[in-house]
Amino acid sequence: MGTDSTSRVTVRDGSWGFFWFLAYIGAAIYFVSVSDGSFWGVILGLLQAIVWPVYVVYHVLVLLGA
């Protein structure tokens, strides 16, 4: 007869997901607030909130002279 075995997998990535969610919400609030308030301005603000880390990395590299 065969034996049934079970294994348990623990994933500990939940806290970083929550951090990135909060960062997105904060960036979305910022970019939407500085937009002109039109529909496409708000959509552009939400898209910018998705890629805000790219802006940060770019400006850090410019400051470092890379």
Side-chain angles (χ1 to χ4, degrees):
M1 297 271 158
T3 60
D4 291 335
S5 64
T6 60
S7 62
R8 183 178 298 203
V9 177
T10 304
V11 178
R12 299 184 186 270
D13 295 335
S15 60
W16 282 107
F18 184 69
F19 169 76
W20 287 113
F21 176 71
L22 287 179
Y24 172 74
I25 295 297
I29 290 170
Y30 171 75
F31 284 118
V32 169
S33 70
V34 297
S35 72
D36 59 358
S38 68
F39 174 77
W40 290 112
V42 171
I43 296 299
L44 181 62
L46 293 174
L47 291 174
Q48 285 176 327
I50 293 171
V51 296
W52 70 267
V54 175
Y55 292 116
V56 173
V57 170
Y58 172 76
H59 289 292
V60 167
L61 288 174
V62 166
L63 285 174
L64 293 175

